Amino acid sequence: MTALIYWVIVALWLTVLVTVVTAAARGKYEVDGTTWLLLAVLSIDVVRNIAENFYFGLLWGSRYGVFPAAIEAALARPELLILPKILNVLAALMVLVILLWRWLPLAARERSEALQTMSAQSAQIAREAEEQRLLFETSVDLILVIDRLGIVRRVSRSSAAILGYAPEEVVGRDGSTFAEPGQYERLNAALGLLAAGQHVPEAVAEMRHKDGHRVTLSFLGVWAPGLDAGLVIGRDITERMAAAARLDRLAYFDELSGLPNRVSLLRDLTAALEAADAPPLALAVLDLNSFKDINDFLGHSTGDRVIGAIGARLARAGSDRCRFYRSGGDEFFMLLTGAAGSDEASAAVQNVVRLLEERVDVDGYRLFVSISCGIACAPEHARTCDELIQNADLALGAARADGRKISVFTPAIRRNARARQEIESELRRAVAQQEFVLHFQPQIRLADDAVVGAEALLRWNHPERGLLAPAAFIDALGHSPAAAEAGQFVLASACAAAADWREKGLGALRIGVNLFPIQFHSRTLLDDVEQALARSGLDARQLELEITENIALGHGDDVLDVLKALHQQGIGLAFDDFGTGYASLSYLLRYPLTRLKIDRSFVQKITDAAAPEHAAIVQSILVMAHNIGLEVVAEGVETDRQAAFLRARGCEEAQGYHFARPLPRDAFEAYVAARLAPSAICQG
């Protein structure tokens, strides 16, 4: 039995040894250095135990007859009996050597590495804690740590700057209590996401500052599992939102009047026209006729305050159906929705016009503005935004042209505008292709019926309509940019013709040239005159420039300065169509005039059957002109009776069909030559 126990122990230790060796050979387990040392010690002890128990197993087995008795005799010697003890000592020594040589240094190194790792982890934790502390101490953004119930557990010091609450006033309270009432639902939904461990996407919420004003925050949140809490970061965007609002107002509102601007008009008008159930609507454009005078004479600052006062009136007059806009300058728009037609729109606009024409008190001035207005309706007159605005503008132009306050668009207005546009295009072509020609109407000295001059009159040699008189195009040309080039052509051609007549012996005839208003606007009249005289060689005293009352009234001191400079060069200046406008008689003294031209409308009334007052008017003009040293030319003389009347009253010169119609250049030269004595021609 004793021998069997030893053999069982041997078998068990062999099993242990085989298992350890097999596992180490296969590399089944990943072990560190210390474990390898322990396995080595175990292996030594296993070998020792196997040897010792194998020895005693043989010894006791032979003693009890399991093995031959000779084995016992061989193993029972004293020196062999002590062998297991020697093996125990040797094994213990080997283990001690291994422990001292390998395990203790390895264990010390691993302990040192473990301590270093723990130290690094502690330092990392300390750094993270410090960074977190600094973040909460120095962040300009609002940082909140919120638990699953929405209670603030920690907050950054920036809460004092952003919300006006010190951190200790925020911690322990529900975060949503700092929000504006209308934001509770949004914030509670965000807290629900955090409590569920989800991220909160960036959102905007209105918070309430401690002093009561609103603070706009842009915030986002994440759930931090390590903290078992939600981390919320909010950024104050109050100023940014205010700046965005200011930019939005600048984009859609007019600064002076406070009304929506043209961009808003286009947006609202497009939306109204494109709506599926769009009601009929009317668009009116309102223009302040006298606003330029306010700016010119009282200053732009006063003009700006007038615009502000007008805008305030319109804002008060606005409603859900009636909205007002300022498109710039002195132009306003009125959008009336649900208008039953042009009659209802006109009535509504008439009320607005009366409101705007009431007195405006600004800067100590009592001012009045007059209004012109054009109206277009949809869908009656237009179906698109651009077309409606265009038609309202066309109606405004018609109101101005007709002297009315309000004009409603009609197709005829567009046809007239298109005709003006077409003639404008044709006038530009006429200048470019030199289709204009000059005719000349003789000016007769009544004392002896001698030709002393001519008025240069423009004709248009139209390629399709033939030769056109001024009545067909002169008004359109006067308002066209092409008038400047046409005026230069007339001036140069007239001077060249007069110089040529002198060369041909027809005498030093005076040439009269009508001026367009645009020639004063362009500020090149002096240069144009000097160039025309220089190129033609004409004496300045033979040139007479004719201005109308409209030019004198419309340009004031600008005209006066130019006319003085021309007069100093010896150029004659005639006041044309006198008596037909509104010029004050003081203009006759103010301007350096040399001649007055009585309008044909007065001359034609001098007949045998005419009322005495008609003749008295002409006679009064003659007396007045002579008293201030002006010579007189009577226009439109068609009868001998008129010529005789003028001659008897001392009128110096006349022109009209009674003497000759306007003639082409060749015909005019023949006319003058026929009235000259043969000797005079030879002497020329």
Side-chain angles (χ1 to χ4, degrees), residues 138-156:
T138 63
S139 174
V140 296
D141 295 331
L142 182 65
I143 304 176
L144 301 168
V145 177
I146 301 177
D147 65 16
R148 294 182 183 274
L149 298 178
I151 304 302
V152 179
R153 296 305 178 192
R154 189 175 181 184
V155 64
S156 61

Side-chain angles (χ1 to χ4, degrees), residues 21-69:
V21 172
T22 302
R26 292 182 178 179
K28 184 177 181 180
Y29 305 103
E30 294 182 5
V31 294
D32 56 16
T34 301
T35 305
W36 279 114
L37 289 173
L38 291 175
L39 288 175
V41 172
L42 179 62
S43 299
I44 294 171
D45 195 50
V46 168
V47 170
R48 182 194 62 77
N49 273 287
I50 290 173
E52 183 179 352
N53 285 285
F54 183 74
Y55 170 80
F56 283 108
L58 289 175
L59 178 65
W60 290 103
S62 63
R63 180 173 292 180
Y64 292 109
V66 178
F67 300 112

